[in-house]
Amino acid sequence: MSNISTISVARRERVAPSAWDGIALCLVAGTLALIIYGAQQMNAPLASVSKAQISLSPAALPEYALRTTLRMFAALGASLLFTFTYATAAAKSRRAGAVLIPILDVLQSVPVLGFLSFTVTGFMAIFPGSVAGAECAAIFAIFTAQAWNMAFSFYQSLRTIPEDLDEASRSFRLSAWQRFWRLEVPFAMPALIWNMMMSMSGSWFFIVASEAISVGNTTITLPGIGSYVALAIERRDLTAVFYALGAMLVVILAYDQLLFRPLVAWAQKFRFEQTMGQPTPGVWLLRVLNRARLVQIALVPLHKGFVTVAHAPLSFGRWRWRRSPIQRRWLNIIWGVIWWGLWALVGAYGLHALYVEMAGQIGWAEVFSAFKLGLMTLTRVVVLVGLASLVWVPVGVWIGLRPGLAMRLQLIAQILAAFPANLLFPVAVVGILHFGLNPNIWLSPLMILGTQWYILFNVIAGASAFPTDLQDAAANFRVRGRNWWFKVMLPGVFPYFITGGLTASGGSWNASIVAELVTWGNTRLEANGLGSYIAKATAAGDYPRIILGVMVMAVFVTLFNRLFWRPLHAYAERRLRMI
């Protein structure tokens, strides 16, 4: 009888709430309340936002920070959905990848702010009279600052899955759906989480423009940190700028502690190891959730539901039409003709539309001039990405091999990556004028300020995912110094560096539009290049020249990626994957 009572008491203790449940309940309830309040504000009538005035009072910053954070996380969710679909299609289908990856190259080269002029009208038409249309346009602009590097990271991970894991999944006869959730997503998770952090940090650069939207003669200013900073800069209120930076740091600290730090610790379980790896650093939020009994009970149905969906066979093999080799070959030919024929029609229609828009306004001399300016910007991009690689690859390896240090420096890295580089432009103007420097040289570093972190974050992800057994083998064979770098570590992080270098290169092209033409008050400094060409055309409202500049930039980015980054990616996929 005493044994039965002891068991019942133990069961009650496992179910009874504890102090940890109170802490977890406060965190969950507070988060839900903030989300509900922000969502209600996003669905307000458009007239209320048009009449509202942005206040530079520090008391308004908490609400502005909430609105900006919700937009960024909505864009992050859309970026994850895009990554899982777009990158998977490009990695799994050779025919689709031949089209989708060049399109991704072009998309990352198109100026982020250029998307607003094409999307605002559509979103406003979908949500007439509601601020939701402007909110969707702002979220889409932030999405374009986040999605491309996440898609490149996931694509690189899918293409470099170790062959023994691939063979194991096939030997267990996993369906495509099961293989995706049980092998591909877990293998890509460490690098994807670091790229999610980089996406969140990098999108701060475009918050200012995405929260002030012009529709015809109407300007809609969405409440947020970006619009607060824009007004502070317009009024030259340095105190308000520092208030905004403080609010930004608080927001970064909050989502680092509540989301990314637990995710990084959780992703350690997906490292590709054949021996016991390094211990996972402790995270306070995970400790709270693990000790909260009611939270554990509440999460059981969600976990079971996810496992059921992820492990569902979803195999349609029995409905497949059995074909002979000759039939398969002819079907491939037919589908290839249809596929490439459709894309040829789309391309021909686009070229015809561009010709109609630009005919009689742009001569061949200006086209050659634009390509010459593109070569100047290309030179800056190559030099800057090379110098950033020399600096951040060793630093990223050093951080990534030390999980405890990576957790401590994670917040600092996010803050540095999130710092709005455009706030340094006035300092650059004053310095160049004071010392009589050449703008063609000294404006160039502004292009890499916000994009160099792609290299650092991806190298940290690569070093963090480097198998411990290979590190132990190198130590046992006493591989040190130069041999350790060139035969052990650099080959291990090379696929991740390719992703970082590729996205940093595309981001630098994008940043050239604001870095090659810098203004402060009535002072304007210009560096010769394609970025300044597009910036001047945009300021003048010269749409044919805007189109020409963007087209030339897309051509340069696509060719450079095809001739340089893609061969390196193929080499990493062929020779440097874990086997």
Side-chain angles (χ1 to χ4, degrees):
M1 188 73 177
S2 60
N3 292 336
I4 296 176
S5 62
T6 303
I7 293 173
S8 62
V9 169
R11 288 177 177 174
R12 285 197 301 270
E13 289 181 351
R14 286 199 299 267
V15 178
S18 64
W20 299 103
D21 285 291
I23 298 174
L25 180 62
C26 291
L27 290 173
V28 173
T31 302
L32 290 177
L34 291 175
I35 292 175
I36 292 172
Y37 174 78
Q40 289 175 345
Q41 296 299 314
M42 287 183 174
N43 201 31
L46 185 62
S48 63
V49 177
S50 301
K51 296 177 181 178
Q53 296 292 327
I54 299 298
S55 171
L56 292 184
S57 171
L61 275 174
E63 180 179 356
Y64 294 168
L66 173 63
R67 300 285 294 273
T68 295
T69 304
L70 290 179
R71 293 182 193 110
M72 295 175 71
F73 275 101
L76 187 66
S79 299
L80 269 177
L81 181 61
F82 173 83
T83 296
F84 285 153
T85 54
Y86 192 98
T88 302
K92 295 297 185 67
S93 172
R94 182 181 303 176
R95 186 177 293 138
V99 175
L100 296 181
I101 294 302
I103 290 177
L104 202 59
D105 292 335
V106 173
L107 288 175
Q108 72 163 343
S109 67
V110 175
V112 172
L113 305 183
F115 286 102
L116 280 173
S117 59
F118 299 102
T119 58
V120 170
T121 304
F123 283 120
M124 296 297 291
I126 296 175
F127 302 97
S130 173
V131 74
E135 292 283 358
C136 289
I139 291 171
F140 184 81
I142 300 171
F143 163 84
T144 60
Q146 295 180 349
W148 318 140
N149 68 299
M150 291 171 58
F152 276 123
S153 172
F154 196 68
Y155 172 80
Q156 173 263 325
S157 297
L158 294 184
R159 299 292 293 180
T160 56
I161 290 178
E163 292 182 357
D164 52 350
L165 295 182
D166 181 71
E167 292 174 0
S169 68
R170 298 186 188 280
S171 64
F172 283 108
R173 297 183 179 180
L174 298 182
S175 66
W177 180 257
Q178 293 171 325
R179 172 185 164 88
F180 180 77
W181 290 110
R182 301 180 68 178
L183 171 61
E184 294 166 352
V185 172
F187 180 78
M189 192 56 64
L192 182 60
I193 289 174
W194 279 96
N195 276 278
M196 288 167 59
M197 285 192 287
M198 181 62 226
S199 293
M200 285 291 288
S201 298
S203 56
W204 283 101
F205 183 87
F206 301 100
I207 286 295
V208 174
S210 64
E211 292 182 347
I213 302 173
S214 296
V215 184
N217 297 324
T218 304
T219 298
I220 302 173
T221 303
L222 298 174
I225 293 180
S227 54
Y228 184 96
V229 171
L231 182 61
I233 293 176
E234 180 182 342
R235 296 182 180 178
R236 297 191 178 185
D237 190 339
L238 291 179
T239 303
V241 170
F242 284 116
Y243 282 144
L245 290 177
M248 186 183 71
L249 295 181
V250 171
V251 170
I252 294 173
L253 176 63
Y255 67 63
D256 174 73
Q257 293 292 320
L258 298 177
L259 179 65
F260 288 125
R261 193 170 295 265
L263 283 179
V264 169
W266 170 73
Q268 293 295 318
K269 65 189 291 186
F270 300 123
R271 286 175 49 136
F272 178 57
E273 300 280 7
Q274 295 179 345
T275 60
M276 181 177 295
Q278 302 179 15
T280 302
V283 177
W284 69 269
L285 182 62
L286 293 181
R287 288 198 296 269
V288 170
L289 295 179
N290 287 332
R291 296 175 183 179
R293 301 188 184 107
L294 295 182
V295 172
Q296 294 291 326
I297 295 173
L299 290 178
V300 168
L302 294 177
H303 178 262
K304 288 184 177 180
F306 177 78
V307 170
T308 301
V309 173
H311 292 187
L314 293 181
S315 176
F316 305 99
R318 54 185 171 181
W319 286 290
R320 291 177 181 173
W321 172 35
R322 294 183 179 180
R323 303 180 294 268
S324 65
I326 297 178
Q327 290 173 328
R328 285 197 297 269
R329 185 176 65 182
W330 277 105
L331 281 175
N332 286 333
I333 293 174
I334 293 172
W335 279 116
V337 171
I338 295 174
W339 174 260
W340 293 111
L342 289 175
W343 282 109
L345 290 175
V346 172
Y349 176 79
L351 291 175
H352 174 72
L354 292 174
Y355 176 79
V356 172
E357 181 70 25
M358 301 169 61
Q361 302 187 53
I362 301 293
W364 286 109
E366 183 142 10
V367 173
F368 290 130
S369 176
F371 272 93
K372 182 180 177 181
L373 295 174
L375 288 174
M376 296 179 183
T377 302
L378 173 64
T379 303
R380 294 190 179 97
V381 170
V382 171
V383 172
L384 292 171
V385 171
L387 292 176
S389 301
L390 292 176
V391 173
W392 294 118
V393 168
V395 174
V397 169
W398 182 69
I399 296 174
L401 292 180
R402 296 162 175 82
L405 179 64
M407 294 293 287
R408 289 193 294 271
L409 295 180
Q410 176 179 317
L411 176 61
I412 298 176
Q414 289 186 78
I415 292 174
L416 291 175
F419 185 83
N422 46 358
L423 294 182
L424 296 178
F425 291 177
V427 178
V429 171
V430 173
I432 291 173
L433 291 177
H434 179 74
F435 294 102
L437 303 176
N438 186 351
N440 287 309
I441 298 176
W442 294 100
L443 284 179
S444 300
L446 299 178
M447 294 169 53
I448 200 68
L449 285 178
T451 59
Q452 59 186 333
W453 311 110
Y454 289 110
I455 298 174
L456 175 63
F457 276 56
N458 278 278
V459 173
I460 290 176
S464 300
F466 194 79
T468 305
D469 52 345
L470 294 185
Q471 299 180 45
D472 295 339
N476 291 335
F477 284 105
R478 298 181 180 179
V479 181
R480 299 186 181 92
R482 180 173 178 173
N483 286 334
W484 182 83
W485 278 103
F486 286 94
K487 294 186 177 180
V488 179
M489 186 48 59
L490 289 182
V493 301
F494 189 75
Y496 298 86
F497 165 73
I498 294 300
T499 301
L502 179 66
T503 50
S505 174
S508 298
W509 279 97
N510 207 321
S512 68
I513 296 175
V514 293
E516 291 181 348
L517 185 63
V518 179
T519 59
W520 175 243
N522 296 325
T523 305
R524 187 174 82 165
L525 292 180
E526 177 182 345
N528 293 325
L530 190 58
S532 59
Y533 178 88
I534 297 175
K536 289 187 294 184
T538 302
D542 192 343
Y543 287 101
R545 284 168 177 78
I546 294 175
I547 294 173
L548 174 63
V550 172
M551 285 180 58
V552 172
M553 184 175 288
V555 169
F556 270 100
V557 172
T558 304
L559 288 178
F560 187 69
N561 290 351
R562 281 282 136 189
L563 298 178
F564 183 73
W565 291 115
R566 292 302 165 202
L568 290 180
H569 186 278
Y571 175 79
E573 179 183 332
R574 185 177 64 253
R575 300 291 301 275
L576 300 178
R577 64 192 301 178
M578 299 293 179
I579 298 178

